[in-house]
Amino acid sequence: MRIAVIGGYGPSLINFRGSMLRAMVEAGHEVYGLAPLDSSTVAEELARMGVKFVEAPIQRTGMNPLKDLSSLFALIKILQEIKPDTVLSYTIKPVIYGSIAAKIAGVKSIYSMITGLGYAFGQTSGKRGLLFKLVKSMYRAGLYFNKAVMFQNPDDRNLFVEQSIISNKKNTVITNGSGVDMKHFAKASVNTETPVFLCISRLLKEKGIHEFAQASLNLKIKYPDARFRLVGPHDHGPDSISEEQIRLWQSGGIECIGPVNDVRNELKNCTVYVLPSYREGTPRSVLEAMSTGRAIVTTDTAGCRETVLNGLNGYLVPVKDIPLLEEAMEKFILQPDLAESMGEASLSYAVKKYDVTKVNTTIMNTMGL
């Protein structure tokens, strides 16, 4: 079959969908990757996988009607030229415009993956409530044409049904995230002598970065030898953390590293992985940490709660609750052996539920591949 996979960010085709694309190629399918040209190396890296890259002018952020309409027309033209048998889209704009474009272009089998709900679903009232209503209606229009919709967690699926974005009769599948390559993110021994707490994320408020920083500052005062590392890019937008705030955290002893090309060294050198996000699809960074054998502290919210068996491989804390987040992190300082035993449990849980080969099998079976 000829398959077109549409994403909103070029490198994500490799970093997040690479193993899936390889599995499709290995199964004998002709695969195209459509995304903006965000990196000069994307086409070359995809070619090495046997995937053909096609530049698609999709605006990742913003709600400019003219630019979005231009993206829709461009996708229609590309799909009419490629003539795929099936289209799979992920992230908000590719799902909406990719699905509509595929229908107009005459594609018979259309699928989408909901990989997280993002900023638009953060509030349902006030100014952001207007954005929520707009995005909800756009999702409804795009997903109407889908043969099946894949979700990374059951909470997101239930929300889409409750909000009438999709019908309860729509074929839906839970994929358990995007999966994790257990060989690439291999088990590493845990250093429990000097506790190192790590958070890897775009620096956005809704990722719980403020909560991680405040809990870390409090613990740094009590335990000066403990280390707290915040790794990830400064993301410009309405939900971003200010650079001034980041400098203040650094002055308090938090190690703000910025983005890194390979997170494996960060995971290898940490004791506990922390992500106090407000909501996720399924957090990829948590799965990678679990695969390397790390205990997890995250929030009892959609997408995150599925990754932790509370008290077994880590701790779940309420969203925005700094005292309880601090308390959970402190347990690993007071009981150093917890990190090792819970890390082993994380690895076992990742093998059972999140191995990328199992996730890819679910996706390809859903698509009849």
Side-chain angles (χ1 to χ4, degrees), residues 4 9 23-24 45 75 80 120 129 156 160 163 170 198 240 263 274 365:
Y9 180 56
M24 289 175 172
E45 291 180 65
L75 284 170
Q80 285 174 334
D156 287 354
F160 270 50
Q163 293 290 333
K170 173 72 75 175
L198 173 68
S240 65
V263 299
V274 185
N365 284 345

Side-chain angles (χ1 to χ4, degrees), residues 322-364:
I322 295 170
L324 285 182
L325 175 62
E326 181 183 335
E327 182 181 310
M329 293 166 68
E330 188 176 25
K331 288 178 182 178
F332 294 98
I333 300 175
L334 298 175
Q335 304 174 66
D337 292 344
L338 271 181
E340 196 164 6
S341 61
M342 287 189 166
E344 289 287 347
S346 273
L347 177 56
S348 297
Y349 193 35
V351 169
K352 179 181 178 182
K353 186 174 181 180
Y354 294 110
D355 188 324
V356 73
T357 57
K358 295 179 180 179
V359 173
N360 288 341
T361 298
T362 300
I363 293 169
M364 291 177 68

Side-chain angles (χ1 to χ4, degrees), residues 180 182 185 187-188 190 271-274 285-298 304 306-315 332 338-355:
V180 60
M182 308 294 294
F185 292 94
K187 180 184 176 183
V190 180
T271 310
V272 178
Y273 187 77
V274 185
S285 64
V286 170
L287 303 190
E288 292 167 353
M290 291 169 66
S291 182
T292 60
R294 292 307 182 266
I296 307 297
V297 177
T298 190
C304 296
E306 283 79 25
T307 64
V308 169
L309 302 169
N310 198 32
L312 183 64
N313 72 310
Y315 296 107
F332 294 98
L338 271 181
E340 196 164 6
S341 61
M342 287 189 166
E344 289 287 347
S346 273
L347 177 56
S348 297
Y349 193 35
V351 169
K352 179 181 178 182
K353 186 174 181 180
Y354 294 110
D355 188 324

Side-chain angles (χ1 to χ4, degrees), residues 51-124:
V51 177
K52 301 177 181 69
F53 176 73
V54 179
E55 182 181 357
I58 303 168
Q59 299 290 323
R60 192 155 63 104
T61 58
M63 296 293 289
N64 185 313
L66 292 177
K67 288 183 178 179
D68 287 347
L69 197 60
S70 175
S71 297
L72 174 63
F73 288 139
L75 284 170
I76 293 169
K77 184 178 180 182
I78 291 167
L79 293 175
Q80 285 174 334
E81 291 173 355
I82 294 174
K83 294 182 172 60
D85 300 296
T86 186
V87 165
L88 171 63
S89 303
Y90 64 96
T91 69
I92 179 170
K93 289 192 178 184
V95 164
I96 294 168
Y97 300 121
S99 295
I100 295 171
K103 179 64 178 177
I104 294 172
V107 179
K108 293 181 180 179
S109 299
I110 304 169
Y111 301 89
S112 293
M113 287 194 291
I114 308 301
T115 56
L117 301 187
Y119 181 77
F121 281 76
Q123 280 181 253
T124 58

Side-chain angles (χ1 to χ4, degrees), residues 260-289:
V260 296
N261 292 326
D262 191 338
V263 299
R264 285 178 294 178
N265 278 337
E266 292 293 337
L267 292 169
K268 179 180 177 181
N269 293 319
C270 83
T271 310
V272 178
Y273 187 77
V274 185
L275 184 70
S277 179
Y278 298 175
R279 188 182 187 109
E280 295 284 334
T282 295
R284 178 69 172 266
S285 64
V286 170
L287 303 190
E288 292 167 353

